[in-house]
Amino acid sequence: MTRTPGTTSTTPTTFEAALDLLGEAPDPQGVFGPYDGTPEACLRAGNRTYRQLARLLHPDTAPPARRAEAAAAFTELGELWNRYQQDITGVTGRQVVITTKRRVYSVGEERASGDIATLYKVGYRAEDDGEARALLKLPRSVADNDLMEREATALERIAREGDPEYANYVPRLIETFRHRDAKSGVERRANVIERVRGFRSLTEVREAYPDGLDARDVAWMWRRLLVAIGYAHRAGVVHGAITPDHVLIHPREHGLVLVDWCYSVLLDGPGDAARPEAILRAKAVEHVPAMIDRHADLYPPEIPGKQPPETAADVYMATKCVTGLLAPDAPKPLLRFARGCSLPAPARRPHDAWKLLGELDELLGKLYGPRRFRPFAMPTRREPRAAGGADRTERAGGEPAGGKPAASKAAASNPAAGTSTGGGSVAGGSVDSV
C-alpha cells in the first residue's frame, strides 16, 4: 500500500501516543514522514500531522498532572517541525520572506501558539535602516480571519482615538495584511505586532504562586489593568476577553500590557477621551463573537447570553482576573470592593474604569497607608508560553484627575504601584510578549 507522501504510517490520537512518537522518532522524518514526494505534498501532509500532534501535546489540553511534560514535548515538536521544513526546502535560519506593500519581513521560528493563532518572530528594516523585530500573528484556520480583522480594527481605533499618553498599555499594530500561502493557496489575515521582552502572563503568575499573592502585589496589577481598559473604553472599544492569558505584566518594572484583541467589539459611537460619559454608558454594536471555553467562569452573564456588552463587561472580567491571584487572607474590604465590580447585572457594576481606579486607590490608602514601591519577582522562565501581544512603557499611575489617571507624583506613592514604567518595554524597545 502506498502512503501519502510526507505522512507517518499512523497519526497518534492520544496524548500518550503522541509522546511515544516523539520519543521513538530518530529524526523529523520519523514524526512527519519520509521525503518521498514533492516538497509541497510533504509539507502539506506534514503540516496536518503537526497540527494534530500540537493539539494533543499543548499544555492547556494535557492532563493537569503532566503539563510540564507536555510543555517540553510541545517545544520539541515545534523544533522538529522547523527542522523538517528546513530539510525539505533547503533553507536554514529564517525560513520565509513575506513582502507587503510597506515592508519585507524575514520570518523566523515559532514563538508561541495561542487559542486561535500562531505567533512567529519576524524582522524587518526599521526607519533608521536598523533591524526591527516583531511578531507575526497568523490564524491556524481561515475561519478565524474575522477575529484577526477584529484585532486590527480595535488596535487601529485605539491608536487613533485614544489618549496617546496611555498607548503603551496595548500592543502596537505595525501592519495588517492578507497573506496567501504559496504552497496551499490558503489566504489568511496576518497581524504584525511589536514584540516586547520580560513580560509574563497572569496565568504564569498564578502557576508560580499557587497559594496566592499578597494583596499589595495584586493591587498594582489591578490598578494598571484598570488604566488599560479605561484607555480602550474611551476610544470606543470593549476587549471582551480579559483572561489571565491576555494580561501580561513586567514583574521587575511593574509594567502591564493587555493583549489579544481578537474578541473585541466596538461601542456604539465615536470614542471621545475628553467627554467619556456617553461612550462609557453605550452598548457595543454587536455581541462578543466567541468565548474561550476554559475561562468560561470569568465571563459576565451578558457575554454567553450573546447580548451586546457595555464597558462594565470588561470591569467584571478584569476583577475576576486579578482577584483570582489573591491569597486566602486578602483583606475583607478589598473582597467586598471586588464583589461590587462583578455583580451579575451590568447596570449595577461600575462602567468607568478610571473612576474606579480612584476608588480603588482610596481603599488601598485606607488599608496600607502611603504608596511605596514593593518589589515583585517571578521564577526564570524555562519555556515560552502561549499568549500574544506587545507594548512599550507606562507613564500612568495615580488617581484620575480631570477624567483620566494622573501621570504625577501619585504614581510613586501607592503600596501597589511604584515605578514610572507600566505599560511596555522597559527600555522602550522590542520585547518577548509571550
Side-chain angles (χ1 to χ4, degrees), residues 302-332:
E302 61 267 28
I303 292 183
K306 296 190 180 299
Q307 302 171 20
E310 303 173 13
T311 56
D314 279 351
V315 170
Y316 182 108
M317 296 193 75
T319 303
K320 292 288 187 179
C321 267
V322 294
T323 54
L325 300 173
L326 288 169
D329 62 352
K332 291 182 180 179

Side-chain angles (χ1 to χ4, degrees), residues 194-206:
E194 184 182 26
R195 285 176 61 193
V196 292
R197 295 188 187 279
F199 283 77
R200 311 287 287 274
S201 73
L202 293 191
T203 297
E204 292 176 276
V205 173
R206 184 63 185 176

Side-chain angles (χ1 to χ4, degrees), residues 215 222 326 331-339 360 363-364 367:
W222 195 348
L326 288 169
K332 291 182 180 179
L334 197 61
L335 297 178
R336 285 195 297 270
F337 184 90
R339 284 196 294 272
L360 175 61
L363 174 59
L364 293 173
L367 290 173

Side-chain angles (χ1 to χ4, degrees), residues 150-160 170-173 191 193 237 258 261 264:
R150 282 177 180 272
E151 177 171 64
T153 298
L155 294 178
E156 287 171 345
R157 177 159 173 172
I158 292 171
R160 182 179 65 250
V170 303
R172 182 171 71 90
L173 180 70
N191 291 339
I193 299 172
V237 180
L258 181 58
W261 293 78
S264 61

